[in-house]
Amino acid sequence: MKRSKRIEVLDQRPVNKDGFIDEWPEMGFVSMHSPYDPKPSVKIEDGIITELDGKKRDEFDFLDQFIVDYAIRADRAEASMAIPSLEIARKIVDIHVSRKEILEIVSGITPAKMVEVINYLNVVELMMGMQKMRARKVPGNQAHITNLKDDPVQIAADAAEGALRGFSEEETTMGVARYAPFSAMALLIGSQTGRPGVLTQCSAEEATELELGIRGLTTYAETLSVYGTEKVFIDGDDTPYSKAFLNSAYASRGLKVRFTSGAGSEVLMGSSEKKSMLYLECRCLYVTKGCGSQGIQNGSVSCIGVAAGVPAGIREVMGENLVAALLGLECASSNDQSFSNSDMRRTARTMLQFMPGTDFIFSGYAAEPNYDNMFAGSNFDAEDFDDYNVLQRDMQVDGGLRPVTEEDVIRVRHEAGKAVQAVFKYLGLTEVTDEQVEAVTYAHGSKDTLKRDVASDLMAADDMMKRGITGIDVVKALAESGYTVLADNILNMLKQRVIGDYMQTAAILDKNFQVMSGVNTPNDYMGPGTGYRVSGKRWEEIKAIPHRINANDI
């Protein structure tokens, strides 16, 4: 067949390298409504829920059991379920209905009822709902801080720059698991160099991650994964009850906890039970609420390729983010794994969270080049900083970041590198040379840095754990090495562990270590003229991108 030259050109477009599939409910490839999804129902007997979405209590799997016992208000269920789903959907976008009223209604509805409600909302209405329902008044952002070499000096420098740029939380992980102690300590030092009050975590095997937290080397945990079917939960060696226990282990030691879930995981693991991705994700979110976690990282996350491959998949992603907010959870709304070869498509997906604002627009903006992102390539990375800042300026939207000067970037990267050098020397760990500090100060990524002695690093990291080194030892090392301001910053972070206020829903800290959360700075949006508005000092900050014409210079 003679081909159309236009079609030939279109066939080569990046978007056509993406994976797409028709709806296939039997295998779980359906975004928001499967013919096999249950119908909403609830029955209460003597204050106990005895029927959930068409199942009798003796038919419940352990997710059903956990959800009815811990995630749905039995005293509210009959009244909430009696409200038509369309009416609830309209209340969500009605500027005359408060967030508080919506939370009260939703506290009594079942997962299947939630699916019905979300299916009534188009993508703009989902964004309107998020603008009202997110927990914290001011949006925020979280960064990934990683590199291919697991170089702690680069982690510290990138963390310092990320904190300077406005990230409220920073997360690291490793290619080599035994680097975790070095990565966690470097992230702590770097983050507090760039801006006091940034929360940090090290994503590692659970026992290691918990121990690092107990030692004061991290301040939150995020990788407590939950799933939407019993079979997948079991394959993950977990139950809702074990996750609740683990949540308590972290929280009781002063660590903020955020669970992780996302549409498509059950499809990937081969046990979707023919249900829609939205329904299964609702079950995950109800379990998260029942476990007592203050929040969730969701929005398909690392399974975004599955959700994005089916019709309305990106709408479903926004829908599940909104469900998290409707359940009163902090929502870190993913955007942290690239899913498309198309820059246009990547940006469009992110705008659904960027424009209304979520508690954390990214649960992992790559604050390094994508080749250094050990979590897998992020939707946006360090090479997109200027584009992102211009988008904030174009739309007068607070996306959680701010423009910076080259001088400030160089300064904080150098300070962080020198601080890590001093701490490693004081604690008798591996050497950090002046040349290594110089390299990371000016580096874009690990291609621009020097090699480290990996074997020596790993032996020293193991020794660090055996010696019981804690955050207090880091404070002492910094103070006695002349870094008194940085030592005070880290000491203040350790004090927050005792105070515990940053475990409030959607909590972050400002540069003065004051908590901003859904409790003391709740979202109060009720239409035009209300809620968070980008203005004053913050607007002046957003406007001041480096590549602009200053009228005073003309």
Side-chain angles (χ1 to χ4, degrees):
M1 183 181 81
K2 186 176 181 179
R3 296 210 61 195
S4 160
K5 294 189 182 299
R6 177 165 295 167
I7 300 301
E8 284 183 337
V9 169
L10 289 173
D11 282 348
Q12 298 306 310
R13 292 286 294 170
V15 72
N16 288 316
K17 298 176 184 177
D18 293 351
F20 302 101
I21 187 171
D22 289 333
E23 291 175 332
W24 188 9
E26 289 74 18
M27 295 302 294
F29 287 97
V30 58
S31 60
M32 301 189 69
H33 177 73
S34 168
Y36 303 102
D37 284 347
K39 302 298 182 186
S41 72
V42 73
K43 285 187 180 178
I44 314 292
E45 296 178 15
D46 299 324
I48 297 173
I49 297 175
T50 59
E51 180 182 313
L52 177 73
D53 295 336
K55 282 187 183 178
K56 303 296 184 184
R57 198 172 181 96
D58 60 4
E59 300 172 313
F60 288 173
D61 62 20
F62 62 39
L63 279 89
D64 299 319
Q65 184 76 53
F66 192 85
I67 288 168
V68 299
D69 288 347
Y70 301 108
I72 299 174
R73 282 182 52 186
D75 64 324
R76 172 77 229 187
E78 289 181 334
S80 292
M81 292 293 285
I83 303 172
S85 297
L86 178 58
E87 184 177 338
I88 298 174
R90 287 175 173 170
K91 287 178 181 292
I92 289 170
V93 299
D94 187 340
I95 62 172
H96 302 101
V97 181
S98 69
R99 177 176 181 269
K100 181 179 179 181
E101 183 179 339
I102 299 296
L103 290 173
E104 177 75 10
I105 292 170
V106 168
S107 67
I109 69 173
T110 68
K113 180 81 166 179
M114 182 72 84
V115 170
E116 275 195 355
V117 171
I118 297 299
N119 268 298
Y120 276 115
L121 300 171
N122 67 28
V123 72
V124 175
E125 291 158 352
L126 291 169
M127 294 166 69
M128 291 168 64
M130 181 58 82
Q131 184 167 235
K132 180 164 74 176
M133 294 308 302
R134 74 166 182 268
R136 190 178 60 247
K137 186 169 184 173
V138 181
N141 220 329
Q142 181 198 119
H144 283 164
I145 307 290
T146 67
N147 63 77
L148 281 170
K149 297 176 181 174
D150 291 330
D151 181 350
V153 195
Q154 184 183 335
I155 285 175
D158 281 343
E161 181 181 342
L164 178 71
R165 289 183 178 275
F167 291 106
S168 299
E169 290 186 350
E170 295 184 326
E171 172 190 20
T172 192
T173 195
M174 297 68 56
V176 178
R178 287 168 58 198
Y179 256 113
F182 276 11
S183 298
M185 186 165 66
L187 187 69
L188 176 66
I189 293 167
S191 63
Q192 300 309 306
T193 303
R195 196 271 284 175
V198 173
L199 302 179
T200 61
Q201 76 138 330
C202 180
S203 178
E205 178 270 327
E206 292 290 5
T208 301
E209 190 167 340
L210 183 56
E211 185 173 0
L212 291 170
I214 291 171
R215 293 190 185 200
L217 297 172
T218 60
T219 41
Y220 74 101
E222 186 180 47
T223 51
L224 287 72
S225 298
V226 289
Y227 305 99
T229 65
E230 190 174 71
K231 179 65 165 60
V232 174
F233 236 126
I234 292 170
D235 286 347
D237 295 325
D238 274 306
T239 72
Y241 301 91
S242 66
K243 287 299 183 184
F245 183 85
L246 184 58
N247 178 73
S248 300
Y250 280 108
S252 65
R253 288 154 177 82
L255 287 155
K256 177 183 174 181
V257 182
R258 184 163 57 233
F259 279 26
T260 298
S261 64
S265 60
E266 299 82 12
V267 181
L268 280 178
M269 296 178 76
S271 189
S272 64
E273 299 179 356
K274 302 181 181 180
K275 305 301 191 297
S276 69
M277 296 180 200
L278 178 61
Y279 172 72
L280 296 180
E281 177 59 11
C282 284
R283 300 186 90 199
C284 295
L285 294 167
Y286 275 73
V287 167
T288 300
K289 179 180 179 181
C291 285
S293 175
Q294 63 81 41
I296 188 82
Q297 168 188 223
N298 84 324
S300 203
V301 198
S302 57
C303 303
I304 183 65
V306 178
V310 300
I314 299 303
R315 176 178 168 233
E316 187 283 334
V317 167
M318 187 62 202
E320 65 180 87
N321 291 155
L322 178 56
V323 173
L326 289 167
L327 292 174
L329 300 169
E330 170 191 86
C331 177
S333 52
S334 189
N335 283 299
D336 59 345
Q337 181 158 321
S338 183
F339 69 100
S340 177
N341 293 283
S342 164
D343 289 341
M344 190 182 300
R345 195 171 180 226
R346 285 191 304 112
T347 304
R349 178 258 189 274
T350 299
M351 291 301 99
L352 303 187
Q353 291 80 22
F354 174 86
M355 288 193 280
T358 64
D359 296 311
F360 294 95
I361 295 162
F362 287 75
S363 45
Y365 186 119
E368 64 279 301
N370 249 327
Y371 68 76
D372 265 335
N373 190 345
M374 301 306 293
F375 287 101
S378 179
N379 222 28
F380 278 61
D381 60 48
E383 294 173 10
D384 300 313
F385 279 140
D386 287 353
D387 299 75
Y388 194 85
N389 285 325
V390 169
L391 289 173
Q392 291 184 127
R393 188 177 186 264
D394 285 344
M395 301 181 192
Q396 197 166 354
V397 162
D398 191 340
L401 300 189
R402 68 184 186 93
V404 296
T405 66
E406 183 176 6
E407 292 79 8
D408 283 342
V409 167
I410 291 170
R411 174 181 57 81
V412 299
R413 291 182 69 92
H414 186 261
E415 287 178 7
K418 295 296 287 185
V420 167
Q421 181 185 51
V423 170
F424 273 44
K425 182 177 181 180
Y426 184 92
L427 295 176
L429 304 173
T430 41
E431 182 184 16
V432 174
T433 65
D434 290 340
E435 290 77 15
Q436 287 173 328
V437 173
E438 179 78 2
V440 301
T441 297
Y442 296 96
H444 175 43
S446 62
K447 292 178 182 178
D448 310 312
T449 64
L450 305 180
K451 290 182 179 180
R452 288 187 57 77
D453 186 336
V454 176
S456 296
D457 272 352
L458 295 180
M459 290 174 63
D462 291 344
D463 183 58
M464 172 184 162
M465 296 301 279
K466 290 174 183 175
R467 287 159 56 195
I469 288 172
T470 70
I472 291 296
D473 295 306
V474 176
V475 172
K476 184 179 178 182
L478 288 166
E480 295 191 7
S481 300
Y483 294 87
T484 54
V485 174
L486 180 54
D488 282 342
N489 290 346
I490 294 177
L491 182 60
N492 273 313
M493 292 303 293
L494 294 171
K495 289 178 181 177
Q496 293 298 322
R497 295 281 297 277
V498 180
I499 297 168
D501 284 348
Y502 68 34
M503 290 191 291
Q504 297 170 8
T505 300
I508 56 176
L509 300 172
D510 67 15
K511 65 180 181 181
N512 298 312
F513 300 97
Q514 298 300 306
V515 168
M516 296 183 292
S517 73
V519 175
N520 70 336
T521 57
N523 184 11
D524 57 358
Y525 177 80
M526 292 212 36
T530 68
Y532 177 61
R533 303 276 154 169
V534 182
S535 60
K537 182 179 179 181
R538 178 63 174 136
W539 179 223
E540 294 304 313
E541 185 177 65
I542 287 172
K543 287 192 290 184
I545 58 174
H547 302 285
R548 71 190 193 282
I549 297 171
N550 188 324
N552 294 324
D553 295 336
I554 298 176

